[in-house]
Amino acid sequence: QVQLVESGGGLVQAGGSLRLSCAASGRTFSAYAMGWFRQAPEKEREFVAAIRWSGANTVYRDSVKGRFTISRDTAKNTVYLRMNSLKPEDTAVYYCARTMGSVVNRPGNYDYWGQGTQVTVSS
């Protein structure tokens, strides 16, 4: 069993920054990649960013490129999402998740999810 716990969400003004953390635990944690997704009210869950656990290759959705940075600390089993220049449209519940597959932008390819952390960006 793998547990994922997000933290770091909150209320921020447009143009501000937040750093989300996702701490992974379990008997033996392993992953092909870790991803961040978000879901706004009445919208589908959407891919934000992903990082390969080994090699640190990263992938981003177009709307966050240049503003968000995903990183990981393998010693701490923790993934981070640094979010700069936040916009009201970034408002959502942010989830981290684990995948053992190579297609990292589809929620269905992830088998473990955190409980989510709310990010609210005011205009």
Side-chain angles (χ1 to χ4, degrees):
Q1 188 75 7
V2 172
Q3 294 84 40
L4 303 176
V5 179
E6 302 99 333
S7 61
L11 173 64
V12 64
Q13 290 187 330
S17 299
L18 285 173
R19 189 182 79 159
L20 307 183
S21 299
C22 172
S25 62
R27 180 176 296 180
T28 303
F29 176 77
S30 63
Y32 177 85
M34 297 293 293
W36 285 97
F37 291 77
R38 65 187 181 188
Q39 189 166 17
E42 301 181 339
K43 292 189 176 181
E44 292 188 354
R45 191 166 298 190
E46 64 182 21
F47 170 76
V48 176
I51 185 167
R52 281 190 59 181
W53 200 243
S54 61
N57 302 66
T58 58
V59 180
Y60 297 92
R61 72 177 296 108
D62 286 346
S63 63
V64 307
K65 286 180 181 177
R67 299 189 298 123
F68 290 12
T69 303
I70 188 171
S71 61
R72 89 278 189 260
D73 184 330
T74 55
K76 296 182 178 180
N77 280 354
T78 300
V79 180
Y80 304 98
L81 185 68
R82 177 68 179 182
M83 306 185 294
N84 295 329
S85 302
L86 283 161
K87 305 175 181 180
E89 51 264 42
D90 295 317
T91 295
V93 177
Y94 283 70
Y95 300 89
C96 71
R98 183 200 80 163
T99 181
M100 298 300 288
S102 59
V103 178
V104 298
N105 62 345
R106 297 177 185 173
N109 286 358
Y110 288 75
D111 55 359
Y112 287 99
W113 293 81
Q115 82 290 348
T117 185
Q118 176 71 46
V119 172
T120 303
V121 185
S122 63
S123 58

